[in-house]
Amino acid sequence: MARSRAGFLVPLCAAALLVGTAACGGSGPVAAPAPAPLTLTPGSRHPNPSLPGDWTTYHHDAARSGSVTGLPQAGPVRKAWSTVLDGAVYAQPLVVRGTVVAATENDTLYGLSGTDGHILWQRHIGTPARLDELPCGNIDPLGITGTPVYEPTTGLVFAVAELSGGRHVLVGVDPATGALLSRREVEPPRGDPRAHQQRGALAAVDGRVLIAYGGLYGDCGDYTGGVVSVPAEGSGPVRDYTVPTGREGGIWATGGPVVTGSGGTARIFVSVGNGASSTGYDGSDSVLDLTPALTRADWFAPATWADDNSRDLDLGSMTPAVVGRFVLIVGKRGTGFVLDSTRLGGDGGQLSQAPVCSAYGTAAVLGSSAFVPCDRALARVDIGPDGALRTAWRIPLGAAGSPAVGGGAVWVVDYASGTLHALDPATGRSLAEAPTGPVPHFAAPVLSGSRVLLGTGNGVTAFSGG
């Protein structure tokens, strides 16, 4: 299960809800009422095209490459602005038509100016869950943890908020105004909702929002990993997939579902944590290939899956990385596996394997290379045309967050020391660095124009990096 670090409800005036305004006077956050779900009227939204510099989903794109072209060359790094919000920002900020959208563990969504960080709007969703009302965990309060997603058919940013009592609600807000336009309960498919944590990033595919569920830190209670698919317009059937294990099997890595393609040919890759069985294979400790209907099309598990399950050395700690025609997965055991994306290989069916590191978070991909966030390092691994895997370099860090690539640099946060590093992709040599202050586990930078944006322990900080 994931390692991580660490409300109030303000009444919403009825007029603001009816007209969809971002606020109704006063300076406090605006809270959405708990009852009566809101759904969109089909065709009522008119989304605008994205702008250069936008970052509309975790790790920039649906495949979670973390790689951006067309940025200015990396130069000296210095703090441009820092905005204090009402809670820690575990989720990666988004940039939608120039507005920075941030989500906090106090269940508040914010729109910030990308220029100077001032608050444009804020939308409080409800009272977050407190640690003392959950069976275990280590984020307190527990609000919005998984990175939201911009859904292009509706033009809304969707986020899942955990509320007091362990309830989960999916909300859609207008990224320009913060107006709340969609709200729907989205509980995990099986088990006790209080024992589930929505840690992985949300994904959008063909007018639907994908939500992955894992457990709380400590792997306590009655939880089972799963994926839920909800129509963004608010009407139509909800689909779900549950890992076929008796308990656990969380889908919690920060990148959430990885999507390639679209329509009926879309592929959805997820990594699964340790499950309940060590005798008969139960769908855990795996990379799964799911269809848009959320049926399992293919799977891979290492031959060591039973021992992995019994020793908590599973693959679920890292999001699958799509590297050309290959899928790379590196879990807690430290072994990297290269898979054929068209045929994952089942039990022990990898194309190659090699020692890499104990990996947590989401890799960034550039060409045939992946930059892997290790427990105490950042490693570049290269995959040959035949699928052979080798480590090109490894740079020691206290704890590597999920990296991004752009402007001729690999950007990575050492969340143990609170330092943002810009590294040479070819050699790992340091190009620049800057202090960040306290940041959450698995912190992941956003690259937007000449800015590097980062969620912190109390808000969002922007660095000038180019």
Side-chain angles (χ1 to χ4, degrees), residues 13-108:
C13 62
L17 179 60
L18 290 173
V19 301
T21 56
C24 50
S27 58
V30 181
L38 304 173
T39 59
L40 292 174
T41 301
S44 64
R45 298 290 301 145
H46 301 284
N48 293 311
S50 59
L51 297 176
D54 279 1
W55 184 287
T56 58
T57 189
Y58 184 89
H59 249 42
H60 184 260
D61 49 64
R64 314 303 195 196
S65 75
S67 185
V68 189
T69 60
L71 299 184
Q73 196 69 14
V77 180
R78 56 191 178 276
K79 185 183 292 186
W81 52 260
S82 187
T83 302
V84 175
L85 306 179
D86 71 356
V89 178
Y90 279 71
Q92 197 176 50
L94 303 182
V95 183
V96 183
R97 294 190 61 78
T99 296
V100 178
V101 180
T104 75
E105 293 295 344
N106 197 46
D107 277 339
T108 304

Side-chain angles (χ1 to χ4, degrees), residues 344-445:
L344 296 182
D347 188 349
Q350 68 274 3
L351 296 176
S352 68
Q353 69 179 77
V356 177
C357 65
S358 183
Y360 293 82
T362 305
V365 176
L366 181 65
S368 59
S369 299
F371 301 90
V372 177
C374 302
D375 195 24
R376 301 188 183 279
L378 183 74
R380 187 189 114 187
V381 299
D382 298 335
I383 301 177
D386 59 351
L389 178 66
R390 74 175 187 92
T391 299
W393 50 255
R394 182 183 285 106
I395 303 300
L397 297 171
S402 298
V405 183
V410 181
W411 302 87
V412 63
V413 177
D414 183 337
Y415 60 82
S417 66
T419 307
L420 172 66
H421 295 273
L423 306 176
D424 184 330
T427 65
R429 177 178 60 89
S430 177
L431 301 176
E433 64 180 55
T436 65
V439 292
H441 280 183
F442 321 127

